[in-house]
Amino acid sequence: MENPGASVVITHHILNDKQADYEKWLSEIVPITKHSAGFIDLQIVRPIPDLTYVYTVIIRFDTIENLRNWMESDSRKRMIEKANPLFRKNDNYKIKSGLDFLFESESETKVPVRWKQFLVTWSAIYPLSILVPLVSIPLLRFLKIPAFHYSDALLNSGIIVFLMVFLVMPNYTKLIRKWLYK
């Protein structure tokens, strides 16, 4: 069976006047992270300026072992110690395998069984994969952006993933919570 990989979702609550310092710190830790064994990719969700102060960092590794090695490494510990004066709250993270983070709930500590994750994800992606191109493709052509299969697919998949992670899955999993976590 193919290894699903592992993800960590890190939240850092930054003090109001320390965002520039945190951005500088990110520019130091990101290259170190990228050179860790098994690193796949990372995403940084930045706060809304002058409104929120929470950074969310999602890092993916090829195995949970490589992810744990990075999270518990001396390099990361030193970098976290360096950033501690910038944090409103302590460094907080959750390690998940595969797409488990999509099923995360504040009220549930367990992760749904894989077959339920599959059904829920599929049932959410299928309608999005039909509806998003119905809206985006005509909009692109209206904006006089020429048809090109690869760029159209890149844009549509990006929109679908964004909607899945930030809008659909948080609400959908709340709606079907009883069945999902049973």
Side-chain angles (χ1 to χ4, degrees):
M1 186 172 164
E2 187 176 318
N3 187 333
S7 302
V8 63
V9 179
I10 305 166
T11 55
H12 287 150
H13 296 257
I14 306 304
L15 294 168
N16 298 7
D17 59 342
K18 299 295 184 184
Q19 288 187 334
D21 294 331
Y22 183 79
E23 288 286 342
K24 183 176 184 259
W25 177 81
L26 279 175
S27 70
E28 295 174 33
I29 195 168
V30 166
I32 298 169
T33 307
K34 287 182 176 181
H35 287 93
S36 298
F39 172 82
I40 296 175
D41 68 4
L42 66 80
Q43 302 285 324
I44 300 170
V45 181
R46 288 176 166 79
I48 300 167
D50 302 320
L51 187 61
T52 63
Y53 300 94
V54 178
Y55 282 76
T56 302
V57 181
I58 303 166
I59 308 172
R60 289 189 322 136
F61 278 78
D62 60 350
T63 66
I64 202 156
E65 180 183 355
N66 281 335
L67 175 56
R68 283 193 199 285
N69 288 342
W70 163 245
M71 295 304 291
E72 296 167 4
S73 71
D74 290 338
S75 298
R76 183 176 187 281
K77 286 177 185 172
R78 278 193 300 275
M79 291 302 294
I80 292 299
E81 284 176 21
K82 183 177 181 179
N84 270 334
L86 312 175
F87 298 158
R88 183 183 309 270
K89 296 180 180 179
N90 289 336
D91 178 52
N92 181 24
Y93 65 89
K94 293 180 182 177
I95 295 177
K96 303 290 183 180
S97 63
L99 296 175
D100 289 347
F101 72 94
L102 290 175
F103 298 92
E104 193 172 273
S105 167
E106 290 180 18
S107 61
E108 292 292 337
T109 56
K110 63 181 182 175
V111 175
V113 294
R114 294 273 183 212
W115 68 267
K116 286 185 178 181
Q117 289 184 33
F118 166 77
L119 288 177
V120 170
T121 305
W122 186 22
S123 68
I125 287 178
Y126 177 70
L128 288 174
S129 66
I130 293 172
L131 295 173
V132 167
L134 286 175
V135 173
S136 68
I137 299 299
L139 180 63
L140 290 173
R141 300 303 91 81
F142 175 77
L143 295 172
K144 307 284 190 241
I145 297 173
F148 185 61
H149 175 73
Y150 297 111
S151 61
D152 291 349
L154 179 67
L155 176 70
N156 288 328
S157 64
I159 292 170
I160 290 168
V161 170
F162 177 84
L163 291 172
M164 284 290 292
V165 171
F166 295 105
L167 184 67
V168 174
M169 291 306 281
N171 294 307
Y172 190 22
T173 54
K174 283 179 191 173
L175 183 68
I176 61 170
R177 179 178 46 244
K178 287 182 182 177
W179 172 80
L180 189 59
Y181 295 99
K182 182 166 51 168

